[in-house]
Amino acid sequence: MHTPHATSEVVDIEKNDHDEKIVPVTTVTEDGVQTGQVKGLHKTLRNRHMQMIAIGGSIGAGLFVGSGGALRTGGPGSLLFGFMITGFMLLCTMQALGELAVLYPVNGAFFTYTCRFVDESWGFATGWQYAFGWLIVLPFELVAASITIEFWRTDIHMAVWVTVFLVFLIVIQFFGVRGYGEVECFLSVIKILACCGFIIFAIIVNCGGVPTDDRGYIGARYWHDPGAFRNGFKGFCSVFVVSAFAFGGTEMVGLAAAEAAEPHKSLPRATRQVFWRIAFFYIVSLFLLGLILPSNNPGLLGSSGANTKASPFVLAIREAGVTGLPSVFNAVITISVISVANSCAYGSTRTMQALAGRGMAPRFLEYIDNKGRPLYCVIIQLAFGCLAYVGEAKGASGKVFGWLLALTGLSFLFVWGSICLAHIRFRSAWKASGHTVEQLPYRAAMGVIGSYIGLSINILALVASFYVSLFPVGGKPDAEGFFSSYLAGPVALAFYVGWKIKDGMQTGRWKLYLSTSEIDVHAGLREGTLEGKYHDGVDQRQPFWKRAVRSLF
């Protein structure tokens, strides 16, 4: 087995707040292998932070607003099944990420795993796609949060609200990762309560229990008229693409592993929460939404961006004739958008810092101050936030944001597919090194089979996205329309080819991927793992289906 040679920058083994040793705290080897925790990051995220990041981290405008466009295009049947398929794919992906993150709680998480277990060039492409994604989404979310205020006030300039929200994010940065965790914890509780409240409300509406709603018992009426499926296969593909983007941010819990106080305890619990969030908050709420709101509702024509007046949840409440509650739900949407903006600042800064640690970004981005903040990365992220003021340019702002978002539209699919692929390659190298799955502190519920399934669905999602970008619903093939939807694909390919050429010219290695013998599974391994110090409590002698179910509870 290939054993990397460590650089001279090696730090003694450290202990975290709970006296748990991490092996060893180094930077990067000569062969580009990150061998442990990055010195300087504070491990202050507690179990409750990790749980709430996992449960409410990705609940945002994608669910509360973007699902309306999916309902209009594909109908309630396509909406439900599209989100179910994507949710199952994400469940497989998060199980794989949980296994890797507990074993290797390193900065950069999935980017680092891709570099270590798949290929440096693809890791470079994935890492920068992900970092750019969050950098560019931040100004968009600031504008979106400002637009939600227009639900109540239209007399205050949008730039004022952009400034207010940007200052709010700057204040959070003063408190480092603990500030991010506390804010996400608080906002996630509000989002979860809102989802639970809507589910109860939708059941009552469907049963005809709202006095102001003259529709009476609704049942599955709208699945018959106007119908469960709209626009055929194209409609389903469109929903498939929207659902993939709506789940964006779920992987953030893996990124936070490097700053978790007890990742071997909090990460397995957080990973298991993903199943319940997908099943309850997404699937149940969208199923009920499709029951009480017809897919041909005129208000759904504007369901995009942060147009909360066209939010299917707000429209469903209005359809029932309930007053006051739409304003409450609009406030929830505002909070959700701010939560996504907070995640933007975290996701991009940690990824850029990890890229710099591997020599794939300017070295100054590697700097971490004494409060555990990648300071220069934070400054760059907040500077990108100032692009939100472009929203003041009448007419041009839509095109500017459209092309910016096109650069990152597929970044989540690339990341999720890469996580599954990294897990497959890791399991192969783990076995080749003479180890068994019983030695893993946490095992993916469906094992390596789940990663193959997750990777396959990711590829299908990319194909579906390509199809609807080339042949849009209700339109003809158009070059500008295609690249505004699929620009991230060519950009990712350019990143990959560019780094492959650079690396090949420097090292003379032109292999497409790392062979099993080149993968070092011991670098950065949590001490005590091979001795069975940590165990997820699942009896590996049980049948596969029992082990899978046990891993979800």
Side-chain angles (χ1 to χ4, degrees):
M1 183 181 66
H2 173 75
T3 303
H5 303 286
T7 62
S8 58
E9 190 176 358
V10 180
V11 184
D12 291 336
I13 294 175
E14 292 187 350
K15 293 186 178 181
N16 64 12
D17 295 338
H18 297 266
D19 296 326
E20 178 190 358
K21 292 200 279 188
I22 310 296
V23 184
V25 184
T26 65
T27 53
V28 179
T29 66
E30 291 177 356
D31 296 321
V33 177
Q34 187 174 339
T35 59
Q37 298 275 32
V38 174
K39 189 180 182 183
L41 290 178
H42 290 184
K43 298 178 279 294
T44 55
L45 288 177
R46 305 299 178 187
N47 182 56
R48 62 184 177 87
H49 298 137
M50 299 297 286
Q51 301 305 309
M52 299 314 296
I53 291 172
I55 295 174
S58 68
I59 298 176
L63 172 64
F64 292 137
V65 181
S67 58
L71 176 62
R72 176 177 56 86
T73 304
S78 293
L79 178 69
L80 178 64
F81 292 121
F83 271 79
M84 285 179 67
I85 293 171
T86 308
F88 181 69
M89 174 265 291
L90 194 58
L91 173 62
C92 296
T93 303
M94 289 303 298
Q95 286 288 323
L97 179 59
E99 180 175 303
L100 292 172
V102 171
L103 200 61
Y104 307 103
V106 295
N107 192 30
F110 29 82
F111 148 72
T112 304
Y113 304 145
T114 305
C115 289
R116 285 189 57 176
F117 304 128
V118 183
D119 176 62
E120 284 251 345
S121 300
W122 185 241
F124 174 81
T126 304
W128 272 114
Q129 272 284 97
Y130 191 73
F132 273 135
W134 287 123
L135 282 172
I136 294 169
V137 167
L138 177 60
F140 179 80
E141 295 297 333
L142 292 174
V143 172
S146 303
I147 293 174
T148 61
I149 304 299
E150 294 180 1
F151 189 89
W152 302 288
R153 298 285 298 269
T154 58
D155 58 331
I156 300 178
H157 211 272
M158 189 189 74
V160 174
W161 296 113
V162 168
T163 304
V164 170
F165 295 132
L166 189 57
V167 170
F168 175 71
L169 290 178
I170 291 173
V171 171
I172 293 174
Q173 302 309 310
F174 281 111
F175 299 95
V177 68
R178 190 66 179 267
Y180 162 73
E182 293 292 353
V183 170
E184 278 304 295
C185 197
F186 175 73
L187 298 183
S188 291
V189 169
I190 296 176
K191 291 187 287 184
I192 289 168
L193 290 176
C195 286
C196 293
F198 178 81
I199 288 171
I200 296 171
F201 170 81
I203 292 173
I204 295 173
V205 171
N206 188 259
C207 294
V210 179
T212 55
D213 191 349
D214 57 4
R215 292 175 294 178
Y217 175 74
I218 299 174
R221 180 189 310 172
Y222 298 135
W223 278 61
H224 298 285
D225 182 23
F229 301 94
R230 306 186 71 185
N231 297 306
F233 184 64
K234 278 188 183 180
F236 175 75
C237 287
S238 297
V239 173
F240 201 23
V241 173
V242 171
S243 65
F245 301 147
F247 282 110
T250 303
E251 71 292 330
M252 199 72 73
V253 69
L255 196 65
E259 296 171 89
E262 297 179 294
H264 65 283
K265 292 182 180 179
S266 59
L267 269 171
R269 293 172 187 169
T271 301
R272 291 176 182 129
Q273 295 293 336
V274 172
F275 171 76
W276 297 109
R277 188 191 67 217
I278 291 171
F280 190 73
F281 299 121
Y282 276 88
I283 306 305
V284 175
S285 62
L286 289 176
F287 170 67
L288 292 171
L289 176 69
L291 289 179
I292 66 174
L293 183 68
S295 58
N296 60 357
N297 185 293
L300 292 174
L301 291 173
S303 294
S304 61
N307 186 1
T308 54
K309 294 180 181 180
S311 164
F313 291 82
V314 174
L315 288 172
I317 296 170
R318 283 180 167 172
E319 193 84 3
V322 179
T323 59
L325 196 54
S327 290
V328 174
F329 217 89
N330 184 74
V332 173
I333 296 174
T334 306
I335 289 171
S336 299
V337 174
I338 295 172
S339 174
V340 173
N342 187 39
S343 295
C344 289
Y346 185 80
S348 63
T349 54
R350 270 54 181 184
T351 305
M352 285 191 292
Q353 198 278 336
L355 283 160
R358 298 187 72 92
M360 294 179 173
R363 280 292 181 185
F364 73 91
L365 295 178
E366 190 179 6
Y367 172 75
I368 299 174
D369 66 11
N370 56 8
K371 291 188 176 181
R373 299 171 299 194
L375 191 58
Y376 295 117
C377 297
V378 170
I379 292 172
I380 290 174
Q381 174 66 87
L382 295 175
F384 263 80
C386 293
L387 286 174
Y389 294 108
V390 174
E392 289 298 299
K394 301 299 181 183
S397 61
K399 274 198 170 184
V400 171
F401 279 119
W403 282 105
L404 285 175
L405 291 175
L407 289 169
T408 62
L410 305 175
S411 59
F412 292 122
L413 291 175
F414 287 136
V415 167
W416 297 339
S418 299
I419 290 170
C420 293
L421 184 57
H423 181 244
I424 293 169
R425 299 292 298 138
F426 158 74
R427 278 293 189 96
S428 177
W430 185 258
K431 183 179 180 180
S433 299
H435 300 303
T436 64
V437 292
E438 285 75 16
Q439 293 175 296
L440 297 173
Y442 176 74
R443 274 145 282 188
M446 288 164 283
V448 73
I449 297 175
S451 292
Y452 277 110
I453 295 172
L455 178 60
S456 300
I457 298 177
N458 262 285
I459 294 173
L460 288 176
L462 288 169
V463 173
S465 179
F466 181 86
Y467 175 63
V468 295
S469 298
L470 191 61
F471 303 102
V473 176
K476 296 180 179 180
D478 175 68
E480 182 177 344
F482 172 78
F483 283 107
S484 66
S485 300
Y486 215 79
L487 184 60
V491 170
L493 183 62
F495 273 129
Y496 171 76
V497 173
W499 188 264
K500 180 65 72 176
I501 293 174
K502 176 183 179 297
D503 185 59
M505 293 180 67
Q506 289 181 342
T507 64
R509 295 180 298 186
W510 296 93
K511 298 176 66 173
L512 292 178
Y513 58 89
L514 294 170
S515 63
T516 303
S517 61
E518 291 179 295
I519 299 175
D520 183 5
V521 297
H522 298 109
L525 193 66
R526 182 174 297 280
E527 186 181 279
T529 296
L530 299 180
E531 292 76 24
K533 183 178 178 181
Y534 312 111
H535 195 273
D536 60 5
V538 178
D539 188 354
Q540 295 300 305
R541 294 171 297 180
Q542 293 179 335
F544 171 79
W545 68 271
K546 283 189 176 181
R547 283 184 280 127
V549 171
R550 175 65 181 83
S551 296
L552 298 175
F553 289 86

